[in-house]
Amino acid sequence: MPPQTQGRGRRRTGNHDDANEQHRRRQSRRDIESDDSEVSGDDQDQDGDGDLHMERAGDGTEDQLVKKLVRYALACEYARIPIRRDGIRDKVLGNNSRSFRRVFEDAQLQLRKVFGMEMVELPVKEKRTLKEKQKANARKAASTTASSRQYILVSTLPPEFKSQAIIAPSRIPSTPEEAAYVGFYTMVISLIALNGGELSDTKLRRYLARLNASQNLPMDKTDNVLQKIVRQGYVDKVVEKSEGDEDAVTWCIGSRGRVEVPPESIAAVVTRVWGESPDDFGKKLHRSLGIQDPRQLQADDGIPEEEE
């Protein structure tokens, strides 16, 4: 082949190779861009799914905390010990203390809907002795709000459902013992309330002797039962120490007793025990317990009475 022809052939071959090389480069660029777009799309999908998974995990974690708080509240009420806010943070929330309000409100909804109960904050324990009152006055100067940070479970059932047939005494340790125990602390709280909110130890012992409490209590000795109702917050035993003389012991209504056995319940118990009562018995009883007459409440609220 002539040299000129060979040169043209080589030039054509070289140009063809260059075109193929450029085409391969363009194709590789398109493939890389396509791969990048697919990868970025996959990453976005994964990120989106990750957010969803995190949200679902968060919701699941909060649901578990709500169930845990409900179980904790039921266990505390079963043992008749207060549901402490610090206990909720330590035993229920753990590292999720910022979710206290949401978890507490959701647990309240579950307790009302499923169990017919709700958590109610206990009133602040009253200061009885002179030293306690001095400390309380000092604290009031430092802070304006007072909270017990303790709760108990109370029933949310309507009054027509709060009957013995529906809400019977617990079977643990036994129904007779539980009924006797409830009756005993209700009676002690009623005696204290009818004596102006305070009852000396001498008077209480006299009342218990008249009732033959030492023979009629099936669960334990009278002193042991009194210690139990003090420990569970139904009553407070106030001891005023004095030099030379015997210590003055006074019994008062405790925080749990004020919530579980309100004046209206005391009035119902007294009316049931009294039997046939005179006409003015209800007014005197309400006055002794500090219960305002429903008619007076309507007059104060400006609500007229319905004509019969």
Side-chain angles (χ1 to χ4, degrees), residues 15-67:
N15 293 335
H16 183 69
D17 292 338
D18 292 341
N20 290 337
E21 183 67 21
Q22 290 178 0
H23 177 72
R24 283 195 298 269
R25 288 177 181 175
R26 292 194 202 98
Q27 186 66 30
S28 62
R29 271 195 230 102
R30 293 194 196 99
D31 294 339
I32 292 172
E33 291 174 358
S34 176
D35 292 340
D36 289 341
S37 62
E38 291 178 1
V39 170
S40 61
D42 292 339
D43 289 341
Q44 290 177 356
D45 293 338
Q46 289 178 359
D47 291 340
D49 292 342
D51 293 339
L52 291 175
H53 291 320
M54 288 178 65
E55 290 177 2
R56 291 168 187 166
D59 294 341
T61 302
E62 192 164 302
D63 290 341
Q64 292 299 321
L65 292 176
V66 171
K67 294 177 182 178

Side-chain angles (χ1 to χ4, degrees), residues 184-203:
F184 179 77
Y185 70 67
T186 302
M187 183 268 302
V188 173
I189 292 173
S190 301
L191 290 173
I192 296 172
L194 292 171
N195 280 271
E198 292 184 356
L199 186 62
S200 64
D201 186 67
T202 304
K203 275 191 173 183

Side-chain angles (χ1 to χ4, degrees), residues 69 93 113 137 204 218 229 271:
L69 177 54
L93 298 179
K113 183 178 180 181
N137 292 332
L204 178 61
I229 63 177
T271 304

Side-chain angles (χ1 to χ4, degrees), residues 9-272:
R10 281 196 294 268
R11 281 196 294 272
R12 289 172 186 166
T13 305
N15 293 335
H16 183 69
D17 292 338
D18 292 341
N20 290 337
E21 183 67 21
Q22 290 178 0
H23 177 72
R24 283 195 298 269
R25 288 177 181 175
R26 292 194 202 98
Q27 186 66 30
S28 62
R29 271 195 230 102
R30 293 194 196 99
D31 294 339
I32 292 172
E33 291 174 358
S34 176
D35 292 340
D36 289 341
S37 62
E38 291 178 1
V39 170
S40 61
D42 292 339
D43 289 341
Q44 290 177 356
D45 293 338
Q46 289 178 359
D47 291 340
D49 292 342
D51 293 339
L52 291 175
H53 291 320
M54 288 178 65
E55 290 177 2
R56 291 168 187 166
D59 294 341
T61 302
E62 192 164 302
D63 290 341
Q64 292 299 321
L65 292 176
V66 171
K67 294 177 182 178
K68 198 173 180 181
L69 177 54
V70 171
R71 290 195 297 267
Y72 176 69
L74 294 174
C76 290
E77 187 60 28
Y78 174 78
R80 284 192 170 99
I81 59 176
I83 306 164
R84 304 181 187 276
R85 190 175 298 184
D86 294 338
I88 295 175
R89 295 183 188 277
D90 296 338
K91 299 180 180 180
V92 177
L93 298 179
N95 296 328
N96 302 293
S97 58
R98 294 184 178 180
S99 304
F100 178 86
R101 184 179 295 275
R102 293 196 306 273
V103 173
F104 187 86
E105 292 175 352
D106 291 344
Q108 287 280 61
L109 294 176
Q110 289 295 323
L111 287 168
R112 295 189 190 105
K113 183 178 180 181
V114 179
F115 298 97
M117 295 184 290
E118 66 179 358
M119 287 182 283
V120 174
E121 186 173 4
L122 288 173
V124 179
K125 186 177 179 180
E126 295 183 6
K127 308 304 177 184
R128 314 286 185 182
T129 63
L130 181 60
K131 291 183 178 179
E132 290 178 346
K133 291 179 180 179
Q134 290 175 349
K135 290 182 180 179
N137 292 332
R139 290 175 182 174
K140 283 182 181 178
S143 61
T144 57
T145 59
S147 174
S148 65
R149 302 173 65 87
Q150 298 178 0
Y151 307 87
I152 63 170
L153 289 179
V154 298
S155 175
T156 58
L157 295 177
E160 57 269 21
F161 294 140
K162 294 182 179 179
S163 62
Q164 186 176 359
I166 297 176
I167 306 178
S170 174
R171 291 176 290 180
I172 300 174
S174 68
T175 300
E177 288 189 13
E178 179 68 14
Y181 180 67
V182 173
F184 179 77
Y185 70 67
T186 302
M187 183 268 302
V188 173
I189 292 173
S190 301
L191 290 173
I192 296 172
L194 292 171
N195 280 271
E198 292 184 356
L199 186 62
S200 64
D201 186 67
T202 304
K203 275 191 173 183
L204 178 61
R205 301 290 177 177
R206 194 182 304 141
Y207 286 131
L208 295 178
R210 290 179 182 177
L211 295 169
N212 291 326
S214 58
Q215 288 80 27
N216 293 329
L217 285 177
M219 71 286 295
D220 205 343
K221 296 180 179 180
T222 305
D223 289 338
N224 294 340
V225 180
L226 287 173
Q227 292 177 5
K228 184 177 180 180
I229 63 177
V230 170
R231 186 171 61 253
Q232 293 180 347
Y234 288 106
V235 297
D236 292 334
K237 184 179 180 181
V238 183
V239 180
E240 286 278 4
K241 294 184 178 181
S242 58
E243 297 179 358
D245 300 332
E246 293 183 359
D247 297 340
V249 180
T250 306
W251 296 88
C252 305
I253 303 176
S255 301
R256 179 182 283 269
R258 281 187 278 167
V259 175
E260 284 195 14
V261 191
E264 293 77 10
S265 299
I266 297 174
V269 170
V270 174
T271 304
R272 183 69 178 270

